[in-house]
Amino acid sequence: MRSEAAPQPGGLERFASAGKGRGLRARRRYAVGELLFSCPAYTAVLTVTERGSHCDGCFARKEGLSKCGRCKQAFYCNVECQKEDWPMHKLECSAMCAFGQNWSPSETVRLTARILAKQKTHPERTQSEKLLAVKEFESHLDKLDNEKRELIQNDIAALHHFYSKHLEYPDNAALVVLFAQVNCNGFTIEDEELSHLGSAIFPDVALMNHSCCPNVIVTYKGTLAEVRAVKEIEPGEEVFTSYIDLLYPTEDRNDRLRDSYFFNCDCRECTTKEKDKEKLEIRKLNDPPSAETVRDMIKYARNVIEEFRRAKHYKYILCLNLDSTGLVELLEICELSLDKMGAVFEESNVYMLHMMYQAMGVCLYVQDWEGALRYGQKIIRPYSKHYPSYSLNVASMWLKLGRLYMALENRPAGVKALKR
């Protein structure tokens, strides 16, 4: 799966980063585009919505995958992939058979079950833990509020409910710590269009601290994470990645960082807030909206984004046989919010872009290629302005547009977009 020889993290070192705890630092110079290191997943789980189209073992997309003979719900490239995944899949195989359609642990629960099994079968340090061991993960246990603690207890209950035959459980306190560690250090694996493929643990990658001005990005080849420079990195310089989507303004980014990772970012981007005005662009009207109107619309936008996220979760994920009514409701949320926000915001405003992106996703889901293309055409230019030049989000949008043009038999536009 590796396109080039994977360097070991010998040109890197773990160190104490001032005000940030542990961190990763360069010992030599890295050029833009250079691969710093790659890290195989300590363990990973394929999301249930991709079963049948991707291998449960290596995450490769392939036609004609072979089913597990027992549960008939896991799929593999070949016998080798199936054998390699069996120590993990056996945690779920018999439970899938026993629970049938009622087998529904979350990805976090599934990932945690695999960590417990891996720690039992491989107590020694793995190839994924050259710089940081899973047991060293930060849990931020002292910062968890009652709501987060309750969610962890729900996950622990699900773990006991769905997994019993092949797992030995530590006590409740140790499980609370482990779930908190997974919540802070887990990774989402995405494909080339940034669609969700699954969740994984990459210990050495988790050593990197966050910046909204990162000097590396993390990409995935199956269950292998690759860390690549997007800026020149000099010896002695700390290696930073971004934990979050960089599209949004400073306040939104730090809200997300505080909620998920329990810190505020003090990078140059967050200190200067120099891009916030463009990201929150207001319509140029003869009678400009008041500051209060703008504040109210920003509050509305944040609320509707959260409303859509919840609606999408329950309609898209929990109801995999989503009917046309549910899809129409999701699209209506997008269109109504765009109409309302459009009275104050320019189309290049990031909240407008967010809802356009969601609407595009619904159109793609129902194979409305023309509708998806209309939204994508509105998105791509502002994306190119708001995101850094190396952004995977921009590249992914050009890829989507190229495929849509090709599907609609506009080959010249398709080729141009794919080249971009």
Side-chain angles (χ1 to χ4, degrees), residues 249 251-252 280 282 291-305 341 344-345 349 351:
E251 186 177 345
D252 294 49
L280 298 171
I282 308 303
E292 184 181 4
T293 299
V294 173
R295 281 196 301 270
D296 287 346
M297 191 57 71
I298 291 173
K299 184 177 179 182
Y300 165 79
R302 289 172 176 163
N303 288 337
V304 80
I305 286 171
M341 290 189 293
V344 176
F345 296 155
N349 184 294
Y351 297 125

Side-chain angles (χ1 to χ4, degrees), residues 64 75 122 160 172 201 211 216 232 276 290-291 294 305 333 336 382 395:
F75 295 78
H122 292 82
H160 283 287
N172 189 78
I201 296 295
S211 172
V216 300
E232 288 189 0
D276 284 3
S290 66
V294 173
I305 286 171
I333 292 174
L336 289 171

Side-chain angles (χ1 to χ4, degrees), residues 108-162:
T108 300
V109 170
R110 294 174 61 208
L111 194 60
T112 305
R114 291 184 175 218
I115 293 171
L116 287 169
K118 182 98 174 193
Q119 288 176 338
K120 181 69 175 175
T121 58
H122 292 82
E124 69 281 2
R125 210 156 172 133
T126 68
Q127 286 294 305
S128 309
E129 302 171 282
K130 289 183 169 66
L131 297 167
L132 182 70
V134 170
K135 290 183 178 180
E136 294 181 277
F137 280 174
E138 179 61 71
S139 67
H140 295 291
L141 202 62
D142 58 325
K143 301 183 181 76
L144 298 182
D145 58 24
N146 289 335
E147 181 182 359
K148 285 184 169 60
R149 288 181 180 275
E150 184 177 343
L151 290 172
I152 286 176
Q153 289 300 336
N154 291 340
D155 281 340
I156 291 172
L159 183 71
H160 283 287
H161 180 66
F162 290 110

Side-chain angles (χ1 to χ4, degrees), residues 171-378:
D171 60 28
N172 189 78
L175 284 175
V176 170
V177 171
L178 181 56
F179 272 104
Q181 289 173 322
V182 172
N183 288 337
C184 285
N185 296 278
F187 287 81
T188 294
I189 294 180
E190 297 168 325
D191 66 11
E192 71 277 6
E193 290 192 359
L194 302 189
S195 295
H196 180 76
L197 287 186
S199 299
I201 296 295
F202 297 103
D204 287 347
V205 182
L207 179 60
M208 293 186 292
N209 285 312
H210 164 86
S211 172
C212 299
C213 310
N215 50 18
V216 300
I217 55 171
V218 182
T219 56
Y220 304 98
K221 289 185 177 179
T223 56
L224 182 78
E226 294 188 337
V227 177
R228 197 174 294 275
V230 293
K231 298 177 183 177
E232 288 189 0
I233 303 173
E234 299 297 334
E237 192 175 341
E238 182 163 4
V239 177
F240 287 107
T241 186
S242 175
Y243 295 176
I244 55 172
D245 189 338
L246 296 176
L247 177 65
Y248 300 94
T250 305
E251 186 177 345
D252 294 49
R253 295 197 308 273
N254 276 283
D255 281 348
R256 170 74 192 283
L257 291 169
R258 279 192 300 272
D259 183 62
S260 299
Y261 305 103
F262 309 99
F263 70 87
N264 285 310
C265 183
D266 60 359
C267 72
R268 177 181 53 78
E269 190 76 29
C270 289
T271 304
T272 64
K273 303 183 181 180
E274 61 186 11
K275 293 184 180 179
D276 284 3
K277 187 176 180 180
E278 277 192 342
K279 291 183 175 186
L280 298 171
E281 192 169 1
I282 308 303
R283 287 190 66 190
K284 296 170 180 63
L285 302 169
N286 292 331
D287 184 16
S290 66
E292 184 181 4
T293 299
V294 173
R295 281 196 301 270
D296 287 346
M297 191 57 71
I298 291 173
K299 184 177 179 182
Y300 165 79
R302 289 172 176 163
N303 288 337
V304 80
I305 286 171
E306 180 59 24
E307 177 191 345
F308 187 89
R309 188 194 66 78
R310 288 195 301 267
K312 184 175 167 184
H313 177 75
Y314 287 110
K315 294 177 186 296
Y316 247 153
I317 306 301
L318 299 183
C319 304
L320 298 178
N321 57 343
L322 185 63
D323 60 17
S324 58
T325 304
L327 288 165
V328 168
E329 288 176 1
L330 288 175
L331 200 53
E332 281 181 351
I333 292 174
C334 296
E335 291 171 345
L336 289 171
S337 66
L338 285 168
D339 284 344
K340 183 168 181 175
M341 290 189 293
V344 176
F345 296 155
E346 285 286 358
E347 283 194 339
S348 60
N349 184 294
V350 295
Y351 297 125
M352 295 284 284
L353 295 174
H354 179 99
M355 295 314 296
M356 287 184 210
Y357 185 82
Q358 300 303 326
M360 183 182 183
V362 176
C363 290
L364 288 170
Y365 191 84
V366 299
Q367 299 184 7
D368 174 9
W369 309 136
E370 291 181 350
L373 182 61
R374 281 195 301 274
Y375 283 114
Q377 288 169 329
K378 290 182 178 181

